[in-house]
Amino acid sequence: MATIGILGGGQLARMLALAGAPLGHRFLVVDNAEDPCAAQVAPLLHADWRDRDALVEFARRIDVATFDFENVPAETAHWLTGHVAVFPNPEALATAQDRFLEKTLFTGAGIGTPAFATVDSLDDLRDACARIGLPAVLKTRRLGYDGKGQCVLREPADIERAWQRLGGVPLILEAFVPFDCEVSVIAVRSRSGEFRHYPLTRNWHRDGILSASLAPLEGFVELEQRAIAHARELAERLDYVGVFALELFVHGGQLLANEMAPRVHNSGHWTIEGTACSQFENHVRAVLGQPLGDTAARGHSVMLNWIGELPEAGPVLAEPGAHWHDYGKSPRAGRKVGHATLCADDPATLAAMLERVGRALGRAEQVAPVIAALG
Amino acid sequence: MATIGILGGGQLARMLALAGAPLGHRFLVVDNAEDPCAAQVAPLLHADWRDRDALVEFARRIDVATFDFENVPAETAHWLTGHVAVFPNPEALATAQDRFLEKTLFTGAGIGTPAFATVDSLDDLRDACARIGLPAVLKTRRLGYDGKGQCVLREPADIERAWQRLGGVPLILEAFVPFDCEVSVIAVRSRSGEFRHYPLTRNWHRDGILSASLAPLEGFVELEQRAIAHARELAERLDYVGVFALELFVHGGQLLANEMAPRVHNSGHWTIEGTACSQFENHVRAVLGQPLGDTAARGHSVMLNWIGELPEAGPVLAEPGAHWHDYGKSPRAGRKVGHATLCADDPATLAAMLERVGRALGRAEQVAPVIAALG
């Protein structure tokens, strides 16, 4: 039995605590939010991550620290290592927090990426656009998530507008990839160096936020092997411990790495019911140095994200093989408030279930691309 | 989202809270123990069940009350219905708390039982022994569990000794059944009257405490149908809401009802991983009037109980398909401190896994009868 401290008390911390409790572990969440949803299932230390006195108290009460949010300041994470074991290590966190360091890591590891260039001035941006071409995406190097801190440039007139909107912090310009689809690898590496991965997952976004995930994928055998080799290479280069997600674009048979999330990931929520050992349980096992659990898919799973507010639970609860997740958060535009996972033994049964659930909840648009992919 | 109050804060309350949290529900546990293990995952109201002021406060903070322990005084449960909805209803609880009322219910419903007679004096006991024959089992009518409050009478000389040990409270003498095996039905009935059952489970006890459970069972089709019909009949007679267990002896092709537990039950712990919707989630759904979830077995499952102290977790964690449960309790002789569930697609794979786990943990005796049953 160990006590695991989590920096951040959102739904990822909540699901980590729910997965670790059956194993006998205790949790302590540190967050400065008023009512962080993880505090409904685990004790809370109500404090800011920059409050060093609070973090000393936090470190004293736990055996190992981890994260529910990648934007915990890397220097805080580094300082914390003087007080308690911290996984993933702060260097991995710092790399994943900065889109330029991250893309540099990818290219150094021989992993394709969209063309990119750092942008620190309007002149930099003009040069980068000339070199990379339009359309392109201007992004803040740090603190972006769920499509925040991004701006698409389609024509030269957009350059100055984009600079007005995002300029003043370090930026990166990336080529816009007209991808065939988006996929992610959820993988885990333990303190002993053991590496495991879940099946490649296909993802659909709406308004920059994950809308649906599907796993496993049929007809992606060779791509999946390459994606997993990339994930393993990154984990080893970073001496990474814990679960992480590598998001990739598939474009004309090529894989282009988009970003790496140094934590359990929304596109791995389907593993709660779709595998014997979820990403949350495996993250707990990894940071404690326990043997990793089975990551093979049981049947076929789709995760549907609930953004802003929850739909009615009834139609999902009434469906055998469907699982409801309500994070206990209040509704707010753009906020992730819950998800549902639908599981079936075969793709046709899963497609029929998606069809029923989509119709009952008025979410036909959300399920349509997944049904098409299953067909 | 609802808040569910639980009288009792042991491992059953803990597993109820862990199953209900993903659905967005909150919990409040009332218990007077120093450190009840459910309080690690849900808020605690530290109070005695007889403290009416505390229970008024409890009722005010919850939407529905339920139990983790059947020996909450039925009059307390009845009084509580004046303040909040209580499921299962106190009459069902009162019946299940008293072995004589319970057996009378069974016989009234046409369900076979071992011969039984109430015993309130040494003369009663002598008469009952003459009528029922020896060996027989003398039990307290109330407050017995895990083999507590029981005494086996093998020869006439045992009669007075047994009376000395247990006399002074209402007793029941039951014929000793040299059963072929013990089975249980875990079933659930919702506020809307919907009834579902899990596959029949076979149980092995050691020293009066559940040691292992196996489900589903092969070659029990007709017996299973009868057992389930009995469970349904009882649920309807009691207007029962929630999960319950009906424990039966199998003896020469006959089913003899032993007892009914008005709560989630140790012999249903395998449903956490062995079905899509566990007994814990279905109890939560039932008391809230939500649609019940899928109770079909996924593959074959064995639950091994950890009594007194936990064995080493490593060999279980290293086994794909095996799941570790540590209730966060301190070790104590006879105390249920955790369990493991082993799942496989077929009985032979499950038997091989049991063999490995039993050997690695020095628990060959515990797994041997289950392996024999799988063979």
Side-chain angles (χ1 to χ4, degrees), chain A residues 181-199:
Chain A
C181 68
E182 294 171 276
V183 296
S184 58
V185 181
I186 307 292
V188 56
R189 186 167 173 273
S190 82
R191 284 167 77 160
S192 66
E194 185 184 2
F195 175 88
R196 294 198 179 192
H197 62 85
Y198 292 92

Side-chain angles (χ1 to χ4, degrees), chain A residues 6-277:
Chain A
I6 309 178
L7 290 145
Q11 68 272 12
L12 301 180
R14 179 182 168 102
M15 289 185 274
L16 282 169
L18 290 172
L23 301 178
H25 304 307
R26 301 193 187 204
F27 291 81
L28 178 63
V29 166
V30 59
D31 200 311
N32 66 354
E34 203 41 64
D35 180 26
C37 72
Q40 293 166 25
V41 301
L44 172 70
L45 182 63
H46 191 262
D48 193 281
W49 304 321
R50 286 156 299 195
D51 177 346
R52 299 255 160 128
D53 289 341
L55 288 186
V56 168
E57 157 77 359
F58 175 65
R60 200 186 49 75
R61 292 169 61 184
I62 64 177
D63 299 300
V64 58
T66 190
F67 310 93
D68 123 301
F69 192 51
E70 68 266 42
N71 289 322
V72 170
E75 66 190 40
T76 299
H78 182 76
W79 171 85
L80 194 58
T81 59
H83 299 265
V84 70
V86 177
F87 297 108
N89 69 67
E91 292 71 29
L93 197 67
T95 302
Q97 280 176 358
D98 183 314
R99 292 183 189 282
F100 177 68
L101 297 183
E102 187 181 56
K103 290 233 161 37
T104 304
L105 170 73
F106 294 158
T107 54
I111 303 170
T113 69
F116 63 93
T118 55
V119 170
D120 294 310
S121 67
L122 182 54
D123 280 347
D124 282 355
L125 181 56
R126 288 203 180 97
D127 290 352
C129 286
R131 186 151 55 84
I132 290 171
L134 295 184
V137 191
L138 185 65
K139 301 178 177 178
T140 58
R141 279 173 57 173
R142 296 172 49 82
L143 301 174
Y145 68 97
D146 286 351
K148 290 174 180 134
Q150 300 196 10
C151 190
V152 178
L153 286 72
R154 298 187 189 281
E155 49 187 346
D158 292 337
I159 293 177
E160 203 159 329
R161 253 199 306 272
W163 177 255
Q164 295 301 335
R165 220 186 99 195
L166 296 177
V169 295
L171 300 173
I172 185 170
L173 187 76
E174 299 176 6
F176 181 90
V177 179
F179 54 78
D180 305 317
C181 68
E182 294 171 276
V183 296
S184 58
V185 181
I186 307 292
V188 56
R189 186 167 173 273
S190 82
R191 284 167 77 160
S192 66
E194 185 184 2
F195 175 88
R196 294 198 179 192
H197 62 85
Y198 292 92
L200 195 66
T201 300
R202 181 164 174 185
N203 302 313
W204 290 265
H205 288 78
R206 296 181 74 184
D207 304 323
I209 305 179
L210 186 67
S211 169
S213 294
L214 166 69
L217 305 180
E218 308 205 318
F220 279 72
V221 177
E222 192 275 327
L223 267 180
E224 182 165 30
Q225 285 172 354
R226 264 191 284 151
I228 287 158
H230 290 339
R232 184 193 291 261
E233 177 66 26
L234 292 174
E236 284 169 6
R237 283 184 179 232
L238 293 169
D239 191 20
Y240 193 93
V241 171
V243 166
F244 66 97
L246 174 61
E247 294 184 56
L248 304 132
F249 299 126
V250 179
H251 181 224
Q254 297 299 306
L255 282 173
L256 299 174
N258 178 34
E259 62 179 72
M260 176 181 179
R263 52 168 169 76
V264 288
H265 192 257
N266 200 163
S267 70
H269 290 0
W270 68 269
T271 65
I272 296 175
E273 295 90 5
T275 69
C277 187

Side-chain angles (χ1 to χ4, degrees), chain B:
Chain B
M1 197 278 291
T3 300
I4 299 170
I6 308 177
L7 290 144
Q11 68 272 13
L12 302 181
R14 179 182 168 102
M15 289 186 274
L16 282 169
L18 290 172
L23 301 178
H25 303 307
R26 301 193 186 205
F27 291 81
L28 179 64
V29 166
V30 58
D31 199 311
N32 65 356
E34 202 43 62
D35 180 26
C37 71
Q40 293 166 25
V41 299
L44 172 70
L45 183 64
H46 191 260
D48 194 280
W49 305 320
R50 287 156 298 197
D51 177 346
R52 299 257 159 126
D53 289 341
L55 288 186
V56 168
E57 158 78 358
F58 175 66
R60 200 186 50 74
R61 292 171 58 186
I62 63 176
D63 299 300
V64 56
T66 189
F67 310 93
D68 122 302
F69 192 52
E70 69 266 40
N71 289 322
V72 169
E75 67 190 38
T76 298
H78 182 74
W79 171 85
L80 194 58
T81 59
H83 298 265
V84 69
V86 178
F87 298 107
N89 70 67
E91 294 69 30
L93 197 68
T95 302
Q97 280 177 357
D98 183 314
R99 293 183 188 281
F100 177 67
L101 297 184
E102 186 180 57
K103 289 232 162 37
T104 305
L105 170 73
F106 294 157
T107 54
I111 304 170
T113 70
F116 62 93
T118 55
V119 170
D120 294 309
S121 68
L122 182 54
D123 280 347
D124 281 354
L125 180 56
R126 289 202 181 97
D127 289 352
C129 288
R131 187 150 55 83
I132 289 170
L134 293 184
V137 191
L138 187 64
K139 300 178 177 177
T140 59
R141 280 174 56 173
R142 296 171 50 81
L143 301 174
Y145 68 97
D146 286 349
K148 289 174 180 132
Q150 300 196 9
C151 188
V152 178
L153 287 75
R154 297 186 189 282
E155 49 187 346
D158 292 336
I159 293 177
E160 203 157 328
R161 250 198 308 274
W163 177 254
Q164 295 300 335
R165 220 186 98 197
L166 296 178
V169 295
L171 300 172
I172 186 171
L173 187 75
E174 299 176 6
F176 181 91
V177 179
F179 53 80
D180 305 316
C181 69
E182 295 171 275
V183 295
S184 58
V185 181
I186 308 292
V188 56
R189 186 168 173 273
S190 81
R191 285 166 78 160
S192 66
E194 186 184 0
F195 175 89
R196 294 196 180 193
H197 61 85
Y198 293 92
L200 195 67
T201 300
R202 181 164 175 186
N203 302 312
W204 289 266
H205 289 78
R206 296 180 74 184
D207 304 324
I209 305 180
L210 186 66
S211 169
S213 294
L214 168 68
L217 306 180
E218 307 203 320
F220 279 72
V221 177
E222 192 275 326
L223 267 180
E224 182 165 31
Q225 284 171 354
R226 262 191 286 151
I228 287 158
H230 290 340
R232 184 193 291 263
E233 176 68 26
L234 293 174
E236 284 169 4
R237 283 185 180 230
L238 293 169
D239 191 21
Y240 193 91
V241 171
V243 166
F244 66 98
L246 174 63
E247 293 184 57
L248 304 132
F249 299 126
V250 180
H251 182 224
Q254 296 300 305
L255 283 172
L256 299 173
N258 179 34
E259 62 180 70
M260 176 181 179
R263 52 168 171 76
V264 287
H265 191 256
N266 200 164
S267 70
H269 290 0
W270 67 269
T271 64
I272 296 176
E273 294 91 4
T275 68
C277 187
S278 74
Q279 65 167 346
F280 300 101
E281 181 173 340
N282 259 331
H283 186 71
V284 168
R285 291 182 182 216
V287 302
L288 293 175
Q290 293 184 314
L292 298 179
D294 188 10
T295 55
R298 286 194 295 210
H300 299 257
S301 299
V302 169
M303 189 282 310
L304 298 172
N305 242 6
W306 308 136
I307 310 297
E309 60 182 344
L310 291 169
E312 194 196 339
V316 171
L317 292 176
E319 198 67 63
H323 303 270
W324 185 255
H325 293 264
D326 170 350
Y327 305 149
K329 294 159 81 170
S330 48
R332 189 168 74 203
R335 191 179 213 195
K336 292 176 175 175
V337 292
H339 74 269
T341 300
L342 282 54
C343 304
D345 289 339
D346 61 89
T349 305
L350 187 55
M353 198 191 309
L354 270 172
E355 180 88 42
R356 285 192 300 274
V357 167
R359 197 168 44 232
L361 300 181
R363 303 272 179 151
E365 273 182 56
Q366 186 174 0
V367 302
V370 191
I371 293 171
L374 284 165

